[in-house]
Amino acid sequence: GESVGLHLPTLSVQEGDNSIINCAYSNSASDYFIWYKQESGKGPQFIIDIRSNMDKRQGQRVTVLLNKTVKHLSLQIAATQPGDSAVYFCAENGLSDKLIFGTGTRLQVFP
Amino acid sequence: KAGVTQTPRYLIKTRGQQVTLSCSPISGHRSVSWYQQTPGQGLQFLFEYFSETQRNKGNFPGRFSGRQFSNSRSEMNVSTLELGDSALYLCASSRTSGTTGELFFGEGSRLTVL
């Protein structure tokens, strides 16, 4: 079946370092990918998206990389801050026009 | 501009009961999607409504149902509650239907089934 997975359930980084959160997707037909951030007690918040006709997209302090050859997606956060501590989800649109979310990676930022 | 509003935020029910959750989307958004979030399964798609019509449905039993009103507000209902239905139920709205529009999530309704 369709699935979206993450390599690491928890990522710990020091404040100021760069963070890289990885995601593997299984559906080669997916053409739209999104990263969401969920802070404790809140709903997921859109961070950045990318379409399959691109391999890189940059936002403010964040970059998403898409490697369609190996079906891999990553989120890079530059100069990680304590406010970046959250669970990060990748999602793909799959075959059935509904978003399929990964299980999430918890990012912990230490001073 | 007000965000997505979900009510109630917390509720406790017992097995066999039914529950109705409400979602008010962002003004102007016609699509409302519902997700179930649990520690073990992550975010699972329940269904999407657009202009009062169910457009897509996830792999949940028929005990899970929903509807959308003419003002785009949506409700979901779970009948004959089971312990495994304990979860955070998230509603998301967007301007367009399908998966290529940005989803705006509410803070969720946390359901505990005893």
Side-chain angles (χ1 to χ4, degrees):
Chain A
E2 300 175 13
S3 66
V4 177
L6 293 167
H7 295 297
L8 297 173
T10 303
L11 177 65
S12 298
V13 298
Q14 192 161 24
E15 182 178 356
D17 286 352
N18 296 333
S19 302
I20 300 176
I21 301 172
N22 296 302
C23 176
Y25 64 94
S26 61
N27 196 327
S28 57
S30 291
D31 59 5
Y32 181 62
F33 305 87
I34 313 172
W35 280 99
Y36 280 89
K37 171 187 180 183
Q38 187 174 24
E39 297 175 90
S40 181
K42 296 186 178 180
Q45 180 183 13
F46 175 92
I47 301 174
I48 192 168
D49 59 0
I50 188 168
R51 297 191 183 276
S52 59
N53 60 351
M54 303 172 70
D55 53 20
K56 181 179 179 179
R57 190 163 188 227
Q58 288 184 292
Q60 189 174 14
R61 282 201 308 117
V62 294
T63 301
V64 55
L65 299 177
L66 175 62
N67 186 329
K68 295 181 288 293
T69 302
V70 295
K71 291 186 286 188
H72 185 267
L73 192 68
S74 68
L75 177 70
Q76 300 179 0
I77 305 174
T80 312
Q81 303 169 0
D84 295 327
S85 295
V87 176
Y88 290 80
F89 295 93
C90 63
E92 63 174 314
N93 62 341
L95 285 172
S96 50
D97 201 27
K98 58 180 186 275
L99 281 179
I100 302 164
F101 284 81
T103 53
T105 293
R106 182 174 300 281
L107 177 64
Q108 296 178 325
V109 183
F110 293 94
Chain B
K1 191 173 183 181
V4 177
T5 304
Q6 292 189 245
T7 57
R9 290 292 313 279
Y10 303 91
L11 67 166
I12 299 174
K13 294 284 187 178
T14 57
R15 281 180 298 174
Q17 287 187 310
Q18 67 92 28
V19 66
T20 299
L21 309 177
S22 179
C23 172
S24 293
I26 292 172
S27 178
H29 286 193
R30 295 166 61 192
S31 171
V32 173
S33 299
W34 288 90
Y35 290 82
Q36 181 195 65
Q37 186 175 30
T38 59
Q41 298 296 318
L43 277 155
Q44 301 284 314
F45 174 79
L46 280 157
F47 25 65
E48 180 203 358
Y49 287 87
F50 183 80
S51 295
E52 301 179 67
T53 301
Q54 187 180 84
R55 190 186 174 280
N56 213 335
K57 190 177 189 303
N59 297 321
F60 279 82
R63 299 185 298 107
F64 293 80
S65 63
R67 58 177 175 169
Q68 187 180 32
F69 303 95
S70 59
N71 61 357
S72 293
R73 191 178 69 85
S74 177
E75 289 181 346
M76 68 162 283
N77 183 277
V78 187
S79 62
T80 319
L81 284 165
E82 301 177 358
L83 295 178
D85 297 332
S86 294
L88 180 67
Y89 290 88
L90 290 161
C91 165
S93 76
S94 65
R95 290 189 180 278
T96 58
S97 179
T99 57
T100 54
E102 181 179 341
L103 290 179
F104 294 83
F105 283 86
E107 296 193 331
S109 294
R110 184 166 294 282
L111 170 66
T112 301
V113 182
L114 302 177

